[in-house]
Amino acid sequence: MIKVEIDEGSGFCFGVVTAIHKAEEELAKGATLYCLGDIVHNSREVERLKSMGLITINHEEFKQLHNAKVLLRAHGEPPETYITAYKNNIEIIDATCPVVLRLQKRIKQEYQQEDNGEKQIVIYGQNGHAEVLGLVGQATGQAIVIEKLEEAKGLDFSKNIRLYSQTTKSLDEFWEIVDYIKAHISPNATFEYYDTICRQVANRMPNLRKFAASHDLIFFVSGKKSSNGKMLFSECLKVNPNSHLIDSIEEIDDSLLHDIDSIGVCGATSTPKWLMEQIYMEIKARLGQESL
Ligand code: SF4
């Protein structure tokens, strides 16, 4: 019989759990609640909360909104969002993750320190990602975003560099970037770096790699837009090339369920446990096995 197993370490991180609880709490009060952007990069969970009444809006719609209640998700927001809320009499339910909030404060302090304009504040992160927009906003848009080592090569090494990271980036690449800058920074300039990667993601990696390597076939459950989903899935692929990214039961490919002894189901910090369980039960059913 083919063994099917869920990775117990996968699923929502505490930042996402808190944001969803806050949304559920507010919705239970019966008032209209808007959320600025998808509450989590997982369309199934977004649909579940929509069915409970949560209305997702984008930044353009937010600017037009007045006298309403809006939830800010775990990724955080730039200062302009709070200014708009104040002007439009919008009540903010702030679910910014404390880890992101701390990072925002550090970047703001860094930006406010005197450096005669000679300092480059660099954020290793994904351009356009909500968290990164919130971080860049702390430096009034002056921070430089680099997505990978290749882009670090374009920095001005004759000027001081302060390096930070988006919370969900890869630790390995962060340290490659640090090494590269150290090797190239001018003797007249200073380089300081801060590992601001969230351990809710980084600490999962060794376990996830072990889990992926211990099965013949892996279904990695994640929304396609999730940044930590892409990163954690690539870790699975490294140790198990028979890993597949899916975000619903419709994406389970029956042709993969043959000539194997074990199947693992795992996911990102933005993947709800209920969705992994649904996929687990569907696989069991397709294999003709009893479910949970
Ligand atoms: S991954 Fe970390 S920083 Fe991001 S929301 Fe989760 S707990 Fe917060």
Side-chain angles (χ1 to χ4, degrees):
M1 190 165 85
I2 300 174
K3 183 181 157 204
V4 190
E5 190 188 10
I6 296 183
D7 173 29
E8 287 308 320
S10 291
F12 288 158
C13 58
F14 76 83
V16 172
V17 168
T18 308
I20 289 170
H21 279 167
K22 280 195 178 167
E24 286 172 338
E25 246 172 58
E26 288 300 322
L27 290 167
K29 292 179 193 163
T32 303
L33 180 65
Y34 296 88
C35 181
L36 185 51
D38 286 344
I39 189 162
V40 56
H41 286 153
N42 186 282
S43 55
R44 310 288 144 177
E45 185 65 7
V46 170
E47 277 162 29
R48 188 184 73 82
L49 288 160
K50 185 180 172 189
S51 72
M52 292 173 70
L54 186 66
I55 304 166
T56 302
I57 52 170
N58 60 31
H59 284 79
E60 278 316 304
E61 290 164 323
F62 176 71
K63 281 182 199 154
Q64 308 306 321
L65 203 65
H66 290 81
N67 313 316
K69 204 186 260 191
V70 178
L71 181 124
L72 303 184
R73 57 197 173 169
H75 292 319
E77 284 291 321
E80 303 87 77
T81 299
Y82 295 86
I83 296 168
T84 305
Y86 180 74
K87 281 187 193 153
N88 292 4
N89 193 32
I90 288 172
E91 183 187 341
I92 292 288
I93 308 294
D94 201 340
T96 305
C97 175
V99 178
V100 176
L101 211 53
R102 244 188 336 264
L103 176 54
Q104 286 186 346
K105 282 188 187 147
R106 286 176 74 168
I107 292 178
K108 188 174 181 180
Q109 280 168 1
E110 184 75 75
Y111 178 69
Q112 287 172 340
Q113 279 167 15
E114 285 295 315
D115 195 66
N116 303 324
E118 288 300 302
K119 176 167 68 182
Q120 297 167 91
I121 298 177
V122 179
I123 297 166
Y124 165 48
Q126 189 188 330
N127 254 309
H129 186 282
E131 182 190 318
V132 174
L133 294 175
L135 299 178
V136 171
Q138 307 305 317
T140 62
Q142 305 293 311
I144 300 166
V145 178
I146 56 168
E147 295 201 354
K148 45 185 187 278
L149 174 63
E150 228 16 65
E151 293 174 16
K153 298 178 183 173
L155 295 171
D156 182 348
F157 295 106
S158 66
K159 287 186 179 174
N160 298 342
I161 295 177
R162 303 290 179 263
L163 175 70
Y164 293 84
S165 174
Q166 180 183 351
T167 56
T168 49
K169 291 297 275 181
S170 145
L171 258 177
D172 291 347
E173 195 169 25
F174 176 79
W175 289 110
E176 281 172 27
I177 292 170
V178 168
D179 288 343
Y180 185 87
I181 299 175
K182 270 186 183 169
H184 291 83
I185 192 88
S186 149
N188 302 322
T190 60
F191 170 43
E192 288 170 21
Y193 52 91
Y194 307 96
D195 164 10
T196 50
I197 291 165
C198 175
R199 279 355 191 213
Q200 286 273 321
V201 181
N203 289 350
R204 283 183 187 199
M205 269 197 242
N207 286 340
L208 189 69
R209 281 192 205 117
K210 213 163 132 195
F211 179 83
S214 68
H215 292 284
D216 297 330
L217 168 64
I218 287 291
F219 285 113
F220 186 88
V221 187
S222 170
K224 308 280 188 313
K225 284 193 276 179
S226 165
S227 170
N228 80 84
K230 280 182 212 155
M231 203 260 291
L232 293 173
F233 175 59
S234 73
E235 291 301 314
C236 287
L237 268 178
K238 279 182 202 163
V239 295
N240 186 340
N242 198 15
S243 297
H244 304 267
L245 179 67
I246 62 170
D247 81 345
S248 67
I249 51 175
E250 287 77 32
E251 291 185 5
I252 300 169
D253 180 354
D254 281 338
S255 69
L256 297 169
L257 309 179
H258 300 285
D259 307 321
I260 46 171
D261 292 324
S262 69
I263 301 173
V265 178
C266 49
T269 57
S270 51
T271 307
K273 241 312 134 38
W274 63 260
L275 183 57
M276 285 188 283
E277 282 165 2
Q278 206 180 62
I279 283 166
Y280 167 88
M281 287 192 282
E282 178 67 18
I283 294 169
K284 299 273 272 182
R286 291 195 197 180
L287 293 172
Q289 298 177 8
E290 301 249 323
S291 55
L292 276 177

